[in-house]
Amino acid sequence: SDGALPAGLVLDTATGAEIWRHDVGDDAAEPTWDVGDDGRVLAVADLEVKLLALDGEVETSWDLTGDESVVSVVALDTGGYAVVRARGSIQFVGADGVVIADEVAGGKRLVDQTATVSTGGIIAADVDGRVTRWDSRGEMVNDVTSFVAGRINDVAVSADGHVAAAAASDGNVALLALSDTSTNESMQQRFAHPEGNVDSVAFVPDGTAVVSGVSEANGTNSFDDTLSRWEVSNDERLFAVGGIPEPIMGCTEFRNTVLVAPGGEFFVAPF
């Protein structure tokens, strides 16, 4: 097998028939990949980047320099891709597979969560509480160096691309307006979770509210798993569910994820 390609399988959603597959074997590094709107796949394994066509053939490939690990590969709404690396560098790639820019965010380490912006580009969050927004050309648009006091666990962007939300370890869900300029203090709004560490966040489709999940250790193998909905217009917590310390035997870390249905009629959280 080709050790530079990700272990992956592409199936027809209607029939389940296999379209193409690449195997890497047991010794391959854990790969990272994402699928663009055109169906092509950008994949990274062993610091080699490959752009795979619809039939699985490699259109183009290149090697990443240095020893920085890749934390995420993001398909941009504009048709390109971004390769986000651990110490803050981001490589922007056009839809044709040509590298557009290599940029350095200047933070300590990017969280393994990034979010796309509907107008093109990505949001990246740093463990020191910094949030940056980059357009699809690799230029920084927003830079907020003290967005929250704690580590950012998750980031999300509203469907219209106007607002970013960050779930933070200091117990806050923080909102930031994404303007077209570098003015970075235009809107900062916070929802304070009394329960503590906020692990995940998502917007409802119309952007009027966010849902969030808490993952706070209350003792050995016991965690608070409160889920909340917050109204953006008045900072009100509409409801909170869960919150009962739950024994999770055998686990050293508990994480939850919240996802909102496309119509906004419900959200789900696996436990």
Side-chain angles (χ1 to χ4, degrees):
S1 62
D2 186 342
L5 288 174
L9 178 66
V10 176
L11 301 176
D12 187 300
T13 56
T15 66
E18 182 177 318
I19 300 175
W20 58 261
R21 148 196 320 256
H22 284 294
D23 298 314
V24 296
D26 294 337
D27 296 331
E30 182 179 353
T32 305
W33 59 346
D34 201 4
V35 182
D37 290 340
D38 58 4
R40 295 186 301 168
V41 172
L42 191 74
V44 180
D46 299 326
L47 295 184
E48 183 177 11
V49 185
K50 289 182 179 287
L51 183 62
L52 306 175
L54 294 175
D55 59 3
E57 293 299 314
V58 178
E59 290 187 7
T60 185
S61 66
W62 63 94
D63 292 329
L64 295 171
T65 59
D67 59 356
E68 259 189 282
S69 61
V70 175
V71 294
S72 63
V73 173
V74 183
L76 306 178
D77 289 352
T78 51
Y81 300 86
V83 179
V84 182
R85 304 187 69 183
R87 296 185 184 277
S89 63
I90 306 175
Q91 188 174 76
F92 290 86
V93 184
D96 55 2
V98 175
V99 176
I100 299 171
D102 281 292
E103 299 295 339
V104 178
K108 295 177 182 176
R109 183 182 182 277
L110 292 177
V111 175
D112 189 6
Q113 299 284 341
T114 54
T116 56
V117 182
S118 61
T119 53
I122 65 169
I123 294 292
D126 199 295
V127 298
D128 59 7
R130 181 183 188 184
V131 170
T132 54
R133 175 191 170 194
W134 305 78
D135 66 21
S136 57
R137 300 182 303 277
E139 297 180 2
M140 186 185 292
V141 180
N142 295 92
D143 181 8
V144 183
T145 56
S146 56
F147 193 38
V148 295
R151 179 189 178 104
I152 295 174
N153 296 321
D154 192 19
V155 289
V157 179
S158 61
D160 60 11
H162 293 164
V163 182
S169 62
D170 65 357
N172 283 299
V173 172
L175 303 186
L176 171 70
L178 302 176
S179 64
D180 294 328
T181 70
S182 58
T183 24
N184 53 29
E185 302 294 337
S186 53
M187 172 186 132
Q188 290 201 37
Q189 184 176 357
R190 282 167 170 73
F191 307 134
H193 277 264
E195 298 82 14
N197 180 57
V198 187
D199 195 66
S200 53
V201 65
F203 279 92
V204 301
D206 63 7
T208 59
V210 296
V211 293
S212 57
V214 166
S215 174
E216 179 71 8
N218 288 331
T220 304
N221 293 325
S222 179
F223 300 86
D224 188 312
D225 53 11
T226 300
L227 300 169
S228 304
R229 171 176 169 137
W230 304 83
E231 302 302 303
V232 173
S233 61
N234 57 15
D235 297 353
E236 178 185 358
R237 179 152 70 170
L238 184 64
F239 60 77
V241 297
I244 300 173
E246 179 181 355
I248 312 292
M249 301 305 297
C251 292
T252 57
E253 182 180 9
F254 174 73
R255 294 182 63 84
N256 62 54
T257 301
V258 292
L259 299 172
V260 182
E265 65 273 18
F266 63 88
F267 68 95
V268 296
F271 291 95

PDB file of all heavy atoms in Angstrom, residues 43-77:
ATOM      1  N   ALA A  43      -5.640  15.610   1.445  1.00  0.00           N
ATOM      2  CA  ALA A  43      -5.236  14.709   2.520  1.00  0.00           C
ATOM      3  C   ALA A  43      -3.786  14.938   2.885  1.00  0.00           C
ATOM      4  O   ALA A  43      -2.959  15.282   2.039  1.00  0.00           O
ATOM      5  CB  ALA A  43      -5.431  13.253   2.079  1.00  0.00           C
ATOM      6  N   VAL A  44      -3.490  14.773   4.185  1.00  0.00           N
ATOM      7  CA  VAL A  44      -2.129  14.900   4.683  1.00  0.00           C
ATOM      8  C   VAL A  44      -1.797  13.653   5.489  1.00  0.00           C
ATOM      9  O   VAL A  44      -2.564  13.241   6.356  1.00  0.00           O
ATOM     10  CB  VAL A  44      -1.964  16.148   5.578  1.00  0.00           C
ATOM     11  CG1 VAL A  44      -0.528  16.247   6.087  1.00  0.00           C
ATOM     12  CG2 VAL A  44      -2.342  17.411   4.822  1.00  0.00           C
ATOM     13  N   ALA A  45      -0.653  13.058   5.203  1.00  0.00           N
ATOM     14  CA  ALA A  45      -0.118  11.968   6.006  1.00  0.00           C
ATOM     15  C   ALA A  45       1.390  12.001   5.884  1.00  0.00           C
ATOM     16  O   ALA A  45       1.932  12.177   4.787  1.00  0.00           O
ATOM     17  CB  ALA A  45      -0.660  10.614   5.545  1.00  0.00           C
ATOM     18  N   ASP A  46       2.070  11.849   7.026  1.00  0.00           N
ATOM     19  CA  ASP A  46       3.533  11.871   7.040  1.00  0.00           C
ATOM     20  C   ASP A  46       4.087  13.150   6.411  1.00  0.00           C
ATOM     21  O   ASP A  46       5.100  13.120   5.705  1.00  0.00           O
ATOM     22  CB  ASP A  46       4.102  10.659   6.308  1.00  0.00           C
ATOM     23  CG  ASP A  46       3.680   9.352   6.962  1.00  0.00           C
ATOM     24  OD1 ASP A  46       3.552   9.340   8.203  1.00  0.00           O
ATOM     25  OD2 ASP A  46       3.479   8.365   6.252  1.00  0.00           O
ATOM     26  N   LEU A  47       3.399  14.295   6.658  1.00  0.00           N
ATOM     27  CA  LEU A  47       3.810  15.610   6.170  1.00  0.00           C
ATOM     28  C   LEU A  47       3.851  15.683   4.644  1.00  0.00           C
ATOM     29  O   LEU A  47       4.552  16.515   4.080  1.00  0.00           O
ATOM     30  CB  LEU A  47       5.163  16.018   6.758  1.00  0.00           C
ATOM     31  CG  LEU A  47       5.166  16.230   8.277  1.00  0.00           C
ATOM     32  CD1 LEU A  47       6.522  16.720   8.749  1.00  0.00           C
ATOM     33  CD2 LEU A  47       4.074  17.222   8.701  1.00  0.00           C
ATOM     34  N   GLU A  48       3.090  14.841   3.974  1.00  0.00           N
ATOM     35  CA  GLU A  48       2.911  14.946   2.534  1.00  0.00           C
ATOM     36  C   GLU A  48       1.456  15.280   2.251  1.00  0.00           C
ATOM     37  O   GLU A  48       0.549  14.651   2.800  1.00  0.00           O
ATOM     38  CB  GLU A  48       3.296  13.647   1.826  1.00  0.00           C
ATOM     39  CG  GLU A  48       3.195  13.753   0.307  1.00  0.00           C
ATOM     40  CD  GLU A  48       3.646  12.479  -0.400  1.00  0.00           C
ATOM     41  OE1 GLU A  48       3.827  11.459   0.294  1.00  0.00           O
ATOM     42  OE2 GLU A  48       3.792  12.516  -1.623  1.00  0.00           O
ATOM     43  N   VAL A  49       1.207  16.291   1.420  1.00  0.00           N
ATOM     44  CA  VAL A  49      -0.142  16.727   1.070  1.00  0.00           C
ATOM     45  C   VAL A  49      -0.478  16.203  -0.312  1.00  0.00           C
ATOM     46  O   VAL A  49       0.334  16.320  -1.251  1.00  0.00           O
ATOM     47  CB  VAL A  49      -0.252  18.267   1.083  1.00  0.00           C
ATOM     48  CG1 VAL A  49      -1.686  18.697   0.832  1.00  0.00           C
ATOM     49  CG2 VAL A  49       0.247  18.835   2.403  1.00  0.00           C
ATOM     50  N   LYS A  50      -1.668  15.641  -0.478  1.00  0.00           N
ATOM     51  CA  LYS A  50      -2.120  15.147  -1.777  1.00  0.00           C
ATOM     52  C   LYS A  50      -3.528  15.641  -2.053  1.00  0.00           C
ATOM     53  O   LYS A  50      -4.383  15.629  -1.165  1.00  0.00           O
ATOM     54  CB  LYS A  50      -2.091  13.618  -1.830  1.00  0.00           C
ATOM     55  CG  LYS A  50      -0.685  13.016  -1.865  1.00  0.00           C
ATOM     56  CD  LYS A  50      -0.723  11.521  -1.953  1.00  0.00           C
ATOM     57  CE  LYS A  50       0.695  10.938  -2.005  1.00  0.00           C
ATOM     58  NZ  LYS A  50       1.346  11.175  -3.285  1.00  0.00           N
ATOM     59  N   LEU A  51      -3.767  16.098  -3.271  1.00  0.00           N
ATOM     60  CA  LEU A  51      -5.102  16.472  -3.724  1.00  0.00           C
ATOM     61  C   LEU A  51      -5.607  15.346  -4.623  1.00  0.00           C
ATOM     62  O   LEU A  51      -5.018  15.056  -5.666  1.00  0.00           O
ATOM     63  CB  LEU A  51      -5.078  17.792  -4.486  1.00  0.00           C
ATOM     64  CG  LEU A  51      -6.442  18.328  -4.949  1.00  0.00           C
ATOM     65  CD1 LEU A  51      -7.347  18.617  -3.751  1.00  0.00           C
ATOM     66  CD2 LEU A  51      -6.271  19.580  -5.797  1.00  0.00           C
ATOM     67  N   LEU A  52      -6.688  14.679  -4.165  1.00  0.00           N
ATOM     68  CA  LEU A  52      -7.218  13.511  -4.855  1.00  0.00           C
ATOM     69  C   LEU A  52      -8.448  13.887  -5.661  1.00  0.00           C
ATOM     70  O   LEU A  52      -9.363  14.543  -5.168  1.00  0.00           O
ATOM     71  CB  LEU A  52      -7.571  12.415  -3.843  1.00  0.00           C
ATOM     72  CG  LEU A  52      -6.457  11.987  -2.882  1.00  0.00           C
ATOM     73  CD1 LEU A  52      -6.992  10.994  -1.874  1.00  0.00           C
ATOM     74  CD2 LEU A  52      -5.284  11.414  -3.636  1.00  0.00           C
ATOM     75  N   ALA A  53      -8.496  13.444  -6.921  1.00  0.00           N
ATOM     76  CA  ALA A  53      -9.626  13.715  -7.809  1.00  0.00           C
ATOM     77  C   ALA A  53     -10.807  12.822  -7.443  1.00  0.00           C
ATOM     78  O   ALA A  53     -10.724  11.969  -6.544  1.00  0.00           O
ATOM     79  CB  ALA A  53      -9.207  13.484  -9.252  1.00  0.00           C
ATOM     80  N   LEU A  54     -11.922  12.988  -8.133  1.00  0.00           N
ATOM     81  CA  LEU A  54     -13.137  12.229  -7.841  1.00  0.00           C
ATOM     82  C   LEU A  54     -12.939  10.734  -8.011  1.00  0.00           C
ATOM     83  O   LEU A  54     -13.626   9.934  -7.370  1.00  0.00           O
ATOM     84  CB  LEU A  54     -14.273  12.704  -8.754  1.00  0.00           C
ATOM     85  CG  LEU A  54     -14.755  14.144  -8.546  1.00  0.00           C
ATOM     86  CD1 LEU A  54     -15.790  14.512  -9.586  1.00  0.00           C
ATOM     87  CD2 LEU A  54     -15.319  14.325  -7.149  1.00  0.00           C
ATOM     88  N   ASP A  55     -11.999  10.335  -8.884  1.00  0.00           N
ATOM     89  CA  ASP A  55     -11.751   8.908  -9.098  1.00  0.00           C
ATOM     90  C   ASP A  55     -10.658   8.365  -8.191  1.00  0.00           C
ATOM     91  O   ASP A  55     -10.256   7.205  -8.307  1.00  0.00           O
ATOM     92  CB  ASP A  55     -11.392   8.638 -10.556  1.00  0.00           C
ATOM     93  CG  ASP A  55     -10.161   9.411 -11.010  1.00  0.00           C
ATOM     94  OD1 ASP A  55      -9.553  10.117 -10.181  1.00  0.00           O
ATOM     95  OD2 ASP A  55      -9.815   9.311 -12.204  1.00  0.00           O
ATOM     96  N   GLY A  56     -10.141   9.208  -7.280  1.00  0.00           N
ATOM     97  CA  GLY A  56      -9.116   8.772  -6.358  1.00  0.00           C
ATOM     98  C   GLY A  56      -7.705   8.965  -6.859  1.00  0.00           C
ATOM     99  O   GLY A  56      -6.747   8.723  -6.115  1.00  0.00           O
ATOM    100  N   GLU A  57      -7.548   9.411  -8.093  1.00  0.00           N
ATOM    101  CA  GLU A  57      -6.210   9.648  -8.627  1.00  0.00           C
ATOM    102  C   GLU A  57      -5.620  10.926  -8.033  1.00  0.00           C
ATOM    103  O   GLU A  57      -6.346  11.884  -7.746  1.00  0.00           O
ATOM    104  CB  GLU A  57      -6.256   9.751 -10.154  1.00  0.00           C
ATOM    105  CG  GLU A  57      -6.631   8.447 -10.846  1.00  0.00           C
ATOM    106  CD  GLU A  57      -5.635   7.340 -10.569  1.00  0.00           C
ATOM    107  OE1 GLU A  57      -4.413   7.606 -10.659  1.00  0.00           O
ATOM    108  OE2 GLU A  57      -6.066   6.220 -10.250  1.00  0.00           O
ATOM    109  N   VAL A  58      -4.318  10.942  -7.842  1.00  0.00           N
ATOM    110  CA  VAL A  58      -3.640  12.102  -7.291  1.00  0.00           C
ATOM    111  C   VAL A  58      -3.456  13.164  -8.363  1.00  0.00           C
ATOM    112  O   VAL A  58      -2.799  12.930  -9.373  1.00  0.00           O
ATOM    113  CB  VAL A  58      -2.269  11.707  -6.701  1.00  0.00           C
ATOM    114  CG1 VAL A  58      -1.551  12.939  -6.159  1.00  0.00           C
ATOM    115  CG2 VAL A  58      -2.438  10.666  -5.601  1.00  0.00           C
ATOM    116  N   GLU A  59      -4.064  14.351  -8.144  1.00  0.00           N
ATOM    117  CA  GLU A  59      -3.914  15.457  -9.091  1.00  0.00           C
ATOM    118  C   GLU A  59      -2.589  16.174  -8.889  1.00  0.00           C
ATOM    119  O   GLU A  59      -1.899  16.517  -9.846  1.00  0.00           O
ATOM    120  CB  GLU A  59      -5.061  16.457  -8.942  1.00  0.00           C
ATOM    121  CG  GLU A  59      -6.406  15.931  -9.411  1.00  0.00           C
ATOM    122  CD  GLU A  59      -7.456  17.024  -9.405  1.00  0.00           C
ATOM    123  OE1 GLU A  59      -7.108  18.208  -9.171  1.00  0.00           O
ATOM    124  OE2 GLU A  59      -8.632  16.705  -9.644  1.00  0.00           O
ATOM    125  N   THR A  60      -2.257  16.422  -7.645  1.00  0.00           N
ATOM    126  CA  THR A  60      -1.001  17.098  -7.321  1.00  0.00           C
ATOM    127  C   THR A  60      -0.625  16.766  -5.887  1.00  0.00           C
ATOM    128  O   THR A  60      -1.477  16.365  -5.091  1.00  0.00           O
ATOM    129  CB  THR A  60      -1.137  18.625  -7.496  1.00  0.00           C
ATOM    130  OG1 THR A  60       0.130  19.244  -7.293  1.00  0.00           O
ATOM    131  CG2 THR A  60      -2.129  19.210  -6.518  1.00  0.00           C
ATOM    132  N   SER A  61       0.642  16.907  -5.553  1.00  0.00           N
ATOM    133  CA  SER A  61       1.099  16.626  -4.200  1.00  0.00           C
ATOM    134  C   SER A  61       2.331  17.467  -3.907  1.00  0.00           C
ATOM    135  O   SER A  61       3.019  17.935  -4.817  1.00  0.00           O
ATOM    136  CB  SER A  61       1.421  15.138  -4.024  1.00  0.00           C
ATOM    137  OG  SER A  61       2.526  14.768  -4.832  1.00  0.00           O
ATOM    138  N   TRP A  62       2.600  17.680  -2.618  1.00  0.00           N
ATOM    139  CA  TRP A  62       3.790  18.407  -2.203  1.00  0.00           C
ATOM    140  C   TRP A  62       4.116  18.040  -0.773  1.00  0.00           C
ATOM    141  O   TRP A  62       3.263  17.558  -0.025  1.00  0.00           O
ATOM    142  CB  TRP A  62       3.612  19.915  -2.359  1.00  0.00           C
ATOM    143  CG  TRP A  62       2.536  20.519  -1.498  1.00  0.00           C
ATOM    144  CD1 TRP A  62       2.685  21.082  -0.268  1.00  0.00           C
ATOM    145  CD2 TRP A  62       1.140  20.611  -1.805  1.00  0.00           C
ATOM    146  NE1 TRP A  62       1.472  21.530   0.214  1.00  0.00           N
ATOM    147  CE2 TRP A  62       0.519  21.255  -0.709  1.00  0.00           C
ATOM    148  CE3 TRP A  62       0.360  20.223  -2.896  1.00  0.00           C
ATOM    149  CZ2 TRP A  62      -0.850  21.499  -0.678  1.00  0.00           C
ATOM    150  CZ3 TRP A  62      -0.991  20.468  -2.865  1.00  0.00           C
ATOM    151  CH2 TRP A  62      -1.587  21.103  -1.762  1.00  0.00           C
ATOM    152  N   ASP A  63       5.369  18.255  -0.379  1.00  0.00           N
ATOM    153  CA  ASP A  63       5.832  17.951   0.973  1.00  0.00           C
ATOM    154  C   ASP A  63       5.785  19.206   1.827  1.00  0.00           C
ATOM    155  O   ASP A  63       6.059  20.308   1.358  1.00  0.00           O
ATOM    156  CB  ASP A  63       7.260  17.410   0.951  1.00  0.00           C
ATOM    157  CG  ASP A  63       7.344  16.044   0.295  1.00  0.00           C
ATOM    158  OD1 ASP A  63       6.359  15.289   0.401  1.00  0.00           O
ATOM    159  OD2 ASP A  63       8.376  15.744  -0.330  1.00  0.00           O
ATOM    160  N   LEU A  64       5.431  19.029   3.104  1.00  0.00           N
ATOM    161  CA  LEU A  64       5.489  20.099   4.078  1.00  0.00           C
ATOM    162  C   LEU A  64       6.873  20.090   4.723  1.00  0.00           C
ATOM    163  O   LEU A  64       7.420  19.031   5.021  1.00  0.00           O
ATOM    164  CB  LEU A  64       4.416  19.912   5.149  1.00  0.00           C
ATOM    165  CG  LEU A  64       2.967  20.009   4.666  1.00  0.00           C
ATOM    166  CD1 LEU A  64       2.019  19.593   5.777  1.00  0.00           C
ATOM    167  CD2 LEU A  64       2.644  21.418   4.190  1.00  0.00           C
ATOM    168  N   THR A  65       7.429  21.260   4.936  1.00  0.00           N
ATOM    169  CA  THR A  65       8.757  21.357   5.536  1.00  0.00           C
ATOM    170  C   THR A  65       8.663  21.449   7.052  1.00  0.00           C
ATOM    171  O   THR A  65       7.614  21.779   7.614  1.00  0.00           O
ATOM    172  CB  THR A  65       9.497  22.590   4.998  1.00  0.00           C
ATOM    173  OG1 THR A  65       8.730  23.768   5.308  1.00  0.00           O
ATOM    174  CG2 THR A  65       9.673  22.493   3.497  1.00  0.00           C
ATOM    175  N   GLY A  66       9.780  21.177   7.724  1.00  0.00           N
ATOM    176  CA  GLY A  66       9.828  21.297   9.168  1.00  0.00           C
ATOM    177  C   GLY A  66       9.217  20.104   9.868  1.00  0.00           C
ATOM    178  O   GLY A  66       8.810  19.118   9.249  1.00  0.00           O
ATOM    179  N   ASP A  67       9.114  20.206  11.198  1.00  0.00           N
ATOM    180  CA  ASP A  67       8.601  19.094  11.990  1.00  0.00           C
ATOM    181  C   ASP A  67       7.264  19.403  12.652  1.00  0.00           C
ATOM    182  O   ASP A  67       6.829  18.699  13.555  1.00  0.00           O
ATOM    183  CB  ASP A  67       9.623  18.702  13.062  1.00  0.00           C
ATOM    184  CG  ASP A  67       9.949  19.860  14.003  1.00  0.00           C
ATOM    185  OD1 ASP A  67       9.431  20.968  13.769  1.00  0.00           O
ATOM    186  OD2 ASP A  67      10.719  19.648  14.955  1.00  0.00           O
ATOM    187  N   GLU A  68       6.590  20.478  12.192  1.00  0.00           N
ATOM    188  CA  GLU A  68       5.278  20.827  12.732  1.00  0.00           C
ATOM    189  C   GLU A  68       4.240  19.812  12.308  1.00  0.00           C
ATOM    190  O   GLU A  68       4.082  19.546  11.120  1.00  0.00           O
ATOM    191  CB  GLU A  68       4.846  22.194  12.189  1.00  0.00           C
ATOM    192  CG  GLU A  68       5.030  23.361  13.116  1.00  0.00           C
ATOM    193  CD  GLU A  68       4.361  24.584  12.551  1.00  0.00           C
ATOM    194  OE1 GLU A  68       4.918  25.218  11.653  1.00  0.00           O
ATOM    195  OE2 GLU A  68       3.263  24.892  13.016  1.00  0.00           O
ATOM    196  N   SER A  69       3.503  19.252  13.245  1.00  0.00           N
ATOM    197  CA  SER A  69       2.426  18.337  12.888  1.00  0.00           C
ATOM    198  C   SER A  69       1.215  19.113  12.374  1.00  0.00           C
ATOM    199  O   SER A  69       1.032  20.291  12.685  1.00  0.00           O
ATOM    200  CB  SER A  69       2.031  17.499  14.101  1.00  0.00           C
ATOM    201  OG  SER A  69       1.568  18.338  15.149  1.00  0.00           O
ATOM    202  N   VAL A  70       0.400  18.457  11.582  1.00  0.00           N
ATOM    203  CA  VAL A  70      -0.826  19.046  11.029  1.00  0.00           C
ATOM    204  C   VAL A  70      -1.976  18.752  11.986  1.00  0.00           C
ATOM    205  O   VAL A  70      -2.204  17.601  12.355  1.00  0.00           O
ATOM    206  CB  VAL A  70      -1.127  18.474   9.632  1.00  0.00           C
ATOM    207  CG1 VAL A  70      -2.461  18.990   9.117  1.00  0.00           C
ATOM    208  CG2 VAL A  70      -0.008  18.828   8.664  1.00  0.00           C
ATOM    209  N   VAL A  71      -2.714  19.807  12.397  1.00  0.00           N
ATOM    210  CA  VAL A  71      -3.835  19.601  13.304  1.00  0.00           C
ATOM    211  C   VAL A  71      -5.169  19.534  12.567  1.00  0.00           C
ATOM    212  O   VAL A  71      -6.110  18.926  13.062  1.00  0.00           O
ATOM    213  CB  VAL A  71      -3.900  20.691  14.397  1.00  0.00           C
ATOM    214  CG1 VAL A  71      -2.702  20.594  15.310  1.00  0.00           C
ATOM    215  CG2 VAL A  71      -4.007  22.075  13.808  1.00  0.00           C
ATOM    216  N   SER A  72      -5.264  20.137  11.387  1.00  0.00           N
ATOM    217  CA  SER A  72      -6.509  20.030  10.633  1.00  0.00           C
ATOM    218  C   SER A  72      -6.295  20.440   9.184  1.00  0.00           C
ATOM    219  O   SER A  72      -5.403  21.229   8.870  1.00  0.00           O
ATOM    220  CB  SER A  72      -7.627  20.886  11.248  1.00  0.00           C
ATOM    221  OG  SER A  72      -7.302  22.254  11.206  1.00  0.00           O
ATOM    222  N   VAL A  73      -7.115  19.873   8.317  1.00  0.00           N
ATOM    223  CA  VAL A  73      -7.202  20.280   6.917  1.00  0.00           C
ATOM    224  C   VAL A  73      -8.628  20.746   6.691  1.00  0.00           C
ATOM    225  O   VAL A  73      -9.572  20.038   7.025  1.00  0.00           O
ATOM    226  CB  VAL A  73      -6.858  19.121   5.960  1.00  0.00           C
ATOM    227  CG1 VAL A  73      -7.111  19.507   4.519  1.00  0.00           C
ATOM    228  CG2 VAL A  73      -5.400  18.706   6.140  1.00  0.00           C
ATOM    229  N   VAL A  74      -8.809  21.950   6.152  1.00  0.00           N
ATOM    230  CA  VAL A  74     -10.126  22.559   6.040  1.00  0.00           C
ATOM    231  C   VAL A  74     -10.437  22.866   4.584  1.00  0.00           C
ATOM    232  O   VAL A  74      -9.637  23.521   3.901  1.00  0.00           O
ATOM    233  CB  VAL A  74     -10.199  23.868   6.861  1.00  0.00           C
ATOM    234  CG1 VAL A  74     -11.598  24.454   6.796  1.00  0.00           C
ATOM    235  CG2 VAL A  74      -9.787  23.623   8.310  1.00  0.00           C
ATOM    236  N   ALA A  75     -11.578  22.396   4.096  1.00  0.00           N
ATOM    237  CA  ALA A  75     -12.055  22.764   2.763  1.00  0.00           C
ATOM    238  C   ALA A  75     -12.769  24.104   2.862  1.00  0.00           C
ATOM    239  O   ALA A  75     -13.715  24.265   3.630  1.00  0.00           O
ATOM    240  CB  ALA A  75     -13.001  21.691   2.221  1.00  0.00           C
ATOM    241  N   LEU A  76     -12.311  25.092   2.097  1.00  0.00           N
ATOM    242  CA  LEU A  76     -12.883  26.433   2.147  1.00  0.00           C
ATOM    243  C   LEU A  76     -14.105  26.541   1.250  1.00  0.00           C
ATOM    244  O   LEU A  76     -14.223  25.842   0.239  1.00  0.00           O
ATOM    245  CB  LEU A  76     -11.824  27.463   1.710  1.00  0.00           C
ATOM    246  CG  LEU A  76     -10.492  27.428   2.465  1.00  0.00           C
ATOM    247  CD1 LEU A  76      -9.541  28.463   1.895  1.00  0.00           C
ATOM    248  CD2 LEU A  76     -10.711  27.648   3.955  1.00  0.00           C
ATOM    249  N   ASP A  77     -15.012  27.442   1.616  1.00  0.00           N
ATOM    250  CA  ASP A  77     -16.226  27.631   0.824  1.00  0.00           C
ATOM    251  C   ASP A  77     -15.929  28.169  -0.569  1.00  0.00           C
ATOM    252  O   ASP A  77     -16.760  28.063  -1.466  1.00  0.00           O
ATOM    253  CB  ASP A  77     -17.181  28.584   1.546  1.00  0.00           C
ATOM    254  CG  ASP A  77     -17.803  27.950   2.785  1.00  0.00           C
ATOM    255  OD1 ASP A  77     -17.591  26.735   2.978  1.00  0.00           O
ATOM    256  OD2 ASP A  77     -18.479  28.649   3.540  1.00  0.00           O
TER     257      ASP A  77
END
